[in-house]
Amino acid sequence: MKKIIIKNVEYILKNILKNFFVYEEITGKAFVFGKLIDEYILFYCTLIANNETFYMPFSEFIDLCDADPGLFNAYKSFVVDELTLQQQTAEAGNKKGSKKKKTR
């Protein structure tokens, strides 16, 4: 979990399935990394999914991101950190599962 401040209000960023459900509900398609607009929409959806008090029209949100590129940079940093953590967790699980008991 990470916190981000937008217009002097603190919001929570968490990597949860609801982020992607909101994305699919808004766009009508599954999220795929690669397009900048999709990443901004996922950022917006992450704020919606994790913060009951977040309400802002998307165009206003984009204007804020345009005025303060640090917002999107903070979100990207959060995403990279989460992906790294998931990869490390998966690798640790694979190492644990691949250890074989020695038989006598």
Side-chain angles (χ1 to χ4, degrees):
M1 178 176 71
K2 182 175 182 166
K3 295 182 180 179
I4 191 167
I5 296 174
I6 301 174
K7 292 178 75 171
N8 297 318
V9 179
E10 187 175 77
Y11 294 104
I12 294 171
L13 299 176
K14 288 191 293 188
N15 187 27
I16 57 174
L17 283 175
K18 189 175 179 183
N19 302 350
F20 297 96
F21 294 160
V22 172
Y23 177 90
E24 288 183 17
E25 188 174 302
I26 288 174
T27 65
K29 63 180 185 170
F31 176 78
V32 178
F33 282 104
K35 286 187 168 183
L36 191 58
I37 190 166
D38 291 336
E39 293 178 17
Y40 273 90
I41 294 171
L42 184 62
F43 179 17
Y44 182 71
C45 292
T46 300
L47 290 166
I48 291 169
N50 291 284
N51 301 278
E52 291 180 10
T53 60
F54 180 80
Y55 175 77
M56 181 181 301
F58 185 69
S59 60
E60 183 181 340
F61 172 73
I62 291 300
D63 288 342
L64 285 173
C65 289
D66 196 29
D68 183 1
L71 293 174
F72 188 68
N73 290 338
Y75 175 71
K76 289 288 281 191
S77 174
F78 161 75
V79 170
V80 169
D81 291 347
E82 287 294 312
L83 290 173
T84 301
L85 181 62
Q86 287 177 2
Q87 182 180 7
Q88 290 171 347
T89 302
E91 288 173 358
N94 288 341
K95 287 180 183 176
K96 230 182 207 183
S98 66
K99 289 183 181 178
K100 295 181 180 179
K101 290 184 179 181
K102 293 182 180 180
T103 56
R104 294 183 192 203

